[in-house]
Amino acid sequence: MSPAGAPPDLLTAEPRVRRRRARPELGALLAAVAVFLFFSVTADSFLRASSIGTVLYAASTIGIMAVPVALLMIGGEFDLSAGVLVTAAALTSSMVSYQLTAVTWVGVLVSLVVALAVGGFNGWVLSRTRLPSFIVTLGTFLMLTGANLGVTKLVSGTVSTKPIGDMQGFESCRLLFASEFTVGGLTVKATVWWWLGLVAAGSWVLLRTRFGNWIFAVGGDAAAARAVGVPVARTKTCLYLGVGFCAWVLGQHLLFSFGTVQSGEGVGNELIYIVAAVIGGCLITGGYGSVVGSALGALIFGMTSKGIVYAQWNPDWFKFFLGAMLLLAALLNSYVKHRAERGRGR
């Protein structure tokens, strides 16, 4: 039975059946194991505790954003403004705190409002105009890129914010967003815990809630989903709000790790988040994917980016490898989905 003719109860049951028959993250899991074994053999220092901590940190800074980006892609949309939104969140927190000479938590809370407002704006424009998300978020990307640089130079006089390391509340904010602890030479930073928590929460929402079924439904066929009562516009707006929240988390980490932020950072990172999601099993066409897969995609990114360094290879080859992984993952994801659909039709 086609989605348009399915009764509302099938809208809940059918995605679960599909997920049981095909695990989108399987290919990413196999790839992650292969990459781990490869660099374990070719890079002598790869298995050191300090190296593993570095790999996890690199993966977590991508993985935090890969979670909402994966959910958004499963819902059939993109966000090209995600990378610069991270920087905008950090800049807002820093400049509000410094200019108001307030407790840094004031800047943090204002930054949260701004990040959610940008996400909500993307979702609102998308639902009101029915423009492609590529166009909507490309516009937001350009506006944020210009605003990040222009406002920072206007307020601070330079392209970076003023240091706020000596302000009241900085240490408590750092404890939440940028702390770390070391056990046996393994240093685990706060981003790793944020990443794991977001993966767990995102997986639960996607696989165990009605909202998760709505995400699959609107990504698979928005018109059919709307016909059976799914709030398509609200679902997509909530997904963009999720991108805003995670951008806020990562932005605060950047700020409270270094005490200052460069206004030009973040450009291009949105593509890395999308690559991580695709490697993890998400299809460009929507309606298919996995939050756990996005975590594995981020882990592959972390292992590859650092493994090349530990193996003492030319890092110029990293993007070539990443591009090859993207193409292979896209082909594999499409093949697995088609196999699952044929199995469901029998």
Side-chain angles (χ1 to χ4, degrees):
M1 182 180 293
S2 67
D9 60 327
L10 286 186
L11 193 63
T12 298
E14 196 273 340
R16 292 196 178 107
V17 173
R18 179 166 66 245
R19 292 196 294 274
R20 291 192 187 103
R21 288 180 174 171
R23 301 303 306 177
E25 66 272 9
L26 179 59
L29 176 60
L30 296 176
V33 171
V35 171
F36 177 80
L37 293 175
F38 177 76
F39 283 115
S40 297
V41 172
T42 58
D44 294 336
S45 60
F46 186 75
L47 293 179
R48 294 176 184 172
S50 59
S51 300
I52 292 175
T54 302
V55 167
L56 288 176
Y57 176 63
S60 67
T61 57
I62 301 300
I64 285 174
M65 290 302 298
V67 169
V69 168
L71 290 172
L72 191 61
M73 290 181 66
I74 296 169
E77 304 296 346
F78 292 96
D79 191 346
L80 297 180
S81 66
V84 292
L85 182 54
V86 171
T87 304
L91 291 169
T92 301
S93 183
S94 178
M95 287 189 287
V96 167
S97 298
Y98 187 86
Q99 295 301 317
L100 296 181
T101 62
V103 177
T104 54
W105 283 104
V106 174
V108 168
L109 294 177
V110 172
S111 175
L112 175 60
V113 173
V114 169
L116 292 177
V118 173
F121 173 80
N122 284 334
W124 180 79
V125 172
L126 187 75
S127 62
R128 296 285 293 185
T129 65
R130 303 290 178 89
L131 288 172
S133 57
F134 177 87
I135 297 299
V136 173
T137 59
L138 178 60
T140 308
F141 162 80
L142 294 173
M143 289 189 292
L144 285 177
T145 302
N148 286 350
L149 179 60
V151 174
T152 303
K153 292 181 72 174
L154 179 65
V155 173
S156 303
T158 65
V159 296
S160 63
T161 60
K162 303 294 185 181
I164 62 169
D166 58 348
M167 294 189 66
Q168 184 180 356
F170 183 88
E171 288 302 321
S172 58
C173 290
R174 185 178 182 279
L175 181 65
L176 179 60
F177 296 107
S179 60
E180 62 183 47
F181 68 89
T182 303
V183 178
L186 174 64
T187 300
V188 180
K189 297 197 175 185
T191 50
V192 176
W193 300 116
W194 276 103
W195 177 35
L196 295 177
L198 288 168
V199 169
S203 296
W204 178 78
V205 168
L206 188 65
L207 302 177
R208 300 294 181 184
T209 69
R210 178 182 297 180
F211 184 74
N213 291 320
W214 289 353
I215 295 173
F216 279 112
V218 300
D221 190 332
R226 188 179 291 109
V228 295
V230 173
V232 174
R234 191 199 319 165
T235 299
K236 293 188 177 185
T237 299
C238 287
L239 293 175
Y240 276 107
L241 289 173
V243 174
F245 175 79
C246 292
W248 169 74
V249 170
L250 188 56
Q252 304 319 294
H253 167 73
L254 295 177
L255 172 61
F256 292 106
S257 291
F258 306 105
T260 185
V261 184
Q262 295 288 329
S263 59
E265 293 180 358
V267 176
N269 285 350
E270 61 283 341
L271 298 180
I272 296 177
Y273 306 148
I274 293 173
V275 168
V278 172
I279 291 176
C282 294
L283 286 180
I284 300 295
T285 52
Y288 187 81
S290 165
V291 173
V292 172
S294 75
L296 291 170
L299 183 60
I300 290 172
F301 176 92
M303 289 191 294
T304 304
S305 62
K306 301 305 176 184
I308 287 175
V309 175
Y310 296 141
Q312 298 182 349
W313 296 346
N314 187 340
D316 294 340
W317 286 97
F318 169 67
K319 288 189 176 180
F320 173 87
F321 177 85
L322 201 61
M325 285 291 297
L326 174 63
L327 291 176
L328 290 174
L331 291 172
L332 178 61
N333 295 343
S334 180
Y335 171 77
V336 170
K337 184 186 179 187
H338 291 324
R339 284 292 299 270
E341 289 175 343
R342 286 200 296 268
R344 189 172 69 249
R346 288 198 292 266

